[in-house]
Amino acid sequence: MSALRLYNTRTRRKEIFVPGDPGRITMYVCGPTVYSRAHIGNARPAVVFDVLARLLRHLYGADALVYARNITDIDDKIMAAAVAEGVSTDEIAARFERHYVEDMGALGVAPPDLAPHATHHVPGMIALIGALIDRGVAYVADGHVLFSVAADPDYGSLSGRDRAAMLAGARVEVATYKRDGADFVLWKPSVAGQPRWESPWGFGRPGWHIECSAMIRELLGETVDIHGGGQDLIFPHHENEAAQSRCASGGAELARVWMHNGFLSMGADKMSKSLGNVVSVGELLEQGWDGEVLRLALLSAHYRQPLEWSQELLEQSKSRIDRWYRQLSSYADVALDEARSSLSGIFSNGESPAGYCNDLDLPWVVATVDAALSYWKSREDCDAKRSDLSMAASALRLMGLLTKTAERWFEPVLRPKPATFGLQGSPGELISEMEMRLHTLRDTRNAARAARDFATADRIRAELEAEGILLEDGPTGTTWRRA
């Protein structure tokens, strides 16, 4: 199998991934600030790094990865939302964290191994800030503690920005107590009624950037193998994380590989809550879009490239998902059994990395799956057909797709008349009973058509259509799919 290559934002090139310890790979991804419902752009990093987590476990072993995704539950926006509603910041944070977890689950995103909350790690942040002051790279001013950017000669190495661009990119008013306009806050005072913690510098709360460095240090170690997030976090958030961690650890880098996904846009602009051009995951689910369709849409472009969100993209993704299920429906056992599959062609192309191992080139994987599922029909050898189908199903399962397998198609048959069949037991048993009924109805209809009893054939078709199953007659026989 070809080596895994990942694009490192810091070095600006693809590199062979070499974890510090292959038996304990560490990945940290910046999670949500829970003050409102997540929009679909917020879901892109969750989905992208969920796929990467699946891939790392596939390559290194199910227990080899420790994946952390934080929850920022103390922030000025959370405080503003709490004031607007007249409730506590804890209530706002808990409500929107619950929505986030539910929405990401609907997209097939597995929970991370660790989900640290900023408010649970304030003592560690205070300790890290104290270490930065002791090293002379942070200072106290007017009740604040600030990091001195000039004290870090490598500041800017992640984003590649010069000092003027950094200051402009920060988009904040330069406070009079700053020694340098680019210096950033590690600790800030809290006024009456705001969340606050006791510290050597007075009652206050942590700045945004310090929380991730402290939680990584406490939970994963000095250096993680992969640090991920959206491109909007490269500067200033990740640049500042990298600087404060490097200075606190005597030069050790915070991450071996920095990875960032591209923006989602609606029209000409980046999707952003501040611009108001957003649609939430919850709204899309309420409109009837299946979570797998939304997931495929998010993975339809290379993760580092921009992606325009549109009705056309959703319709194309639904059509593709439906086609895959239809093509695999007659071989449900293949879709459920990954043990026999061979994924070598998805990982390498001769000596070169391909697909998953080529910096998560998922559009290439999708195209390869499409080709395999189209080609299998022309094969005469049954084992070769099963190999095509098994590869395709396994590749898509690794992408977090086709997780519902046959249930997606047969569940509607169960809903209208659950008592009629008396179906009990596991989902697999339900699917078996539903398949049996569909096969029986199909065979009955085919016999009726052969006897020119078109009234019976039409009645069976109409009955199934009412239950959400469409029959399609073709040169190779009759197949069904979900409407």
Side-chain angles (χ1 to χ4, degrees):
M1 183 180 295
S2 179
L4 173 62
R5 284 177 168 81
L6 299 173
Y7 184 86
N8 190 342
T9 302
R10 188 169 186 271
T11 60
R12 296 162 187 78
R13 64 174 182 266
K14 291 182 190 178
E15 301 172 343
I16 295 177
F17 176 61
V18 182
D21 177 2
R24 186 181 184 270
I25 299 169
T26 51
M27 181 168 74
Y28 182 94
V29 175
C30 284
T33 299
V34 283
Y35 68 95
S36 66
R37 199 77 179 257
H39 64 67
I40 191 65
N42 300 141
R44 195 178 192 191
V47 170
V48 165
F49 289 101
D50 179 68
V51 174
L52 180 57
R54 293 168 187 265
L55 173 61
L56 291 169
R57 290 188 170 111
H58 182 89
L59 295 176
Y60 290 91
D63 299 324
L65 175 68
V66 182
Y67 173 23
R69 186 186 67 211
N70 74 299
I71 299 289
T72 296
D73 57 349
I74 176 63
D75 178 86
D76 289 348
K77 292 177 180 178
I78 297 173
M79 291 159 53
V83 170
E85 289 195 30
V87 299
S88 69
T89 54
D90 288 345
E91 182 175 336
I92 292 292
R95 181 198 310 163
F96 288 110
E97 179 185 356
R98 184 173 62 253
H99 282 311
Y100 180 82
V101 171
E102 291 171 352
D103 289 345
M104 295 310 106
L107 303 187
V109 176
D113 301 298
L114 302 170
H117 293 61
T119 55
H120 299 175
H121 293 269
V122 174
M125 299 176 205
I126 292 173
L128 181 55
I129 293 169
L132 291 169
I133 293 174
D134 292 343
R135 287 179 175 270
V137 296
Y139 59 93
V140 182
D142 197 18
H144 296 73
V145 182
L146 298 108
F147 181 87
S148 175
V149 167
D152 178 21
D154 290 327
Y155 191 84
S157 59
L158 177 63
S159 62
R161 298 188 180 203
D162 59 28
R163 289 293 299 278
M166 292 176 204
L167 186 56
R171 296 180 297 175
V172 295
E173 182 179 354
V174 178
T176 57
Y177 50 78
K178 288 187 177 184
R179 294 178 184 173
D180 186 298
D183 293 350
F184 58 89
V185 172
L186 302 173
W187 187 263
K188 63 180 73 174
S190 293
V191 300
Q194 293 180 334
R196 63 179 190 165
W197 289 262
E198 188 175 3
S199 80
W201 320 287
F203 284 96
R205 61 189 189 277
W208 177 33
H209 312 302
I210 196 66
E211 62 182 64
C212 292
S213 289
M215 289 188 286
I216 288 172
R217 197 179 188 87
E218 288 184 58
L219 299 174
L220 300 177
E222 197 168 64
T223 301
V224 293
D225 292 305
I226 298 170
H227 194 323
Q231 285 182 352
D232 55 327
L233 299 182
I234 297 175
F235 185 86
H237 185 47
H238 286 173
E239 189 73 74
N240 293 349
E241 273 188 57
Q244 64 201 12
S245 296
R246 186 166 48 237
C247 290
S249 61
E253 290 293 342
L254 179 59
R256 294 181 177 87
V257 179
W258 290 87
M259 295 179 66
H260 296 92
N261 63 271
F263 295 127
L264 248 65
S265 63
M266 269 193 171
D269 297 318
K270 180 192 83 170
M271 191 177 292
S272 168
K273 291 175 183 175
S274 62
L275 295 175
N277 61 338
V278 298
V279 58
S280 74
V281 176
E283 288 171 333
L284 290 165
L285 294 171
E286 289 168 5
Q287 291 169 14
W289 293 106
D290 189 276
E292 284 195 320
V293 171
L294 301 180
R295 185 181 180 96
L296 177 60
L298 289 168
L299 296 173
S300 60
H302 192 279
Y303 79 91
R304 286 191 285 115
Q305 299 304 313
L307 175 63
E308 183 172 352
W309 194 259
S310 65
Q311 182 76 11
E312 181 181 11
L313 174 65
L314 286 169
E315 290 171 354
Q316 288 174 348
S317 299
K318 181 181 185 302
S319 176
R320 176 171 262 131
I321 283 277
D322 285 347
R323 184 174 71 253
W324 286 338
Y325 272 109
R326 188 161 60 251
Q327 290 170 315
L328 288 165
S329 62
S330 59
Y331 283 84
D333 60 320
V334 173
L336 288 167
D337 182 3
E338 298 186 29
R340 299 191 302 270
S341 67
S342 172
L343 284 167
S344 59
I346 296 292
F347 288 112
S348 63
N349 184 10
E351 297 299 318
S352 301
Y356 284 106
C357 283
N358 184 22
D359 191 35
L360 285 186
D361 189 356
L362 300 184
W364 185 93
V365 173
V366 167
T368 301
V369 167
D370 277 342
L373 289 178
S374 296
Y375 178 55
W376 78 270
K377 292 183 177 181
S378 65
R379 288 183 179 266
E380 296 182 359
D381 184 276
C382 184
D383 288 339
K385 284 187 175 183
R386 293 179 67 85
S387 177
D388 289 340
L389 291 163
S390 184
M391 182 281 294
S394 298
L396 294 172
R397 281 296 186 84
L398 193 53
M399 203 184 295
L401 298 168
L402 297 190
T403 56
K404 300 175 184 177
T405 318
E407 182 182 1
R408 175 185 171 94
W409 299 103
F410 305 134
E411 182 187 11
V413 180
L414 177 64
R415 282 188 193 144
K417 310 171 188 176
T420 302
F421 310 106
L423 303 181
Q424 302 292 332
S426 70
E429 292 170 338
L430 292 177
I431 289 169
S432 176
E433 294 283 354
M434 288 182 271
E435 281 189 275
M436 186 181 301
R437 176 172 181 260
L438 284 172
H439 278 295
T440 300
L441 288 175
R442 182 192 61 184
D443 292 345
T444 301
R445 178 176 174 272
N446 286 343
R449 291 177 68 203
R452 303 186 67 79
D453 181 1
F454 299 116
T456 297
D458 291 344
R459 177 182 56 76
I460 292 173
R461 177 190 286 276
E463 178 183 340
L464 289 175
E465 283 185 0
E467 297 174 358
I469 299 294
L470 300 182
L471 295 181
E472 296 182 342
D473 299 316
T476 60
T478 302
T479 60
W480 58 76
R481 67 179 178 86
R482 187 174 178 176

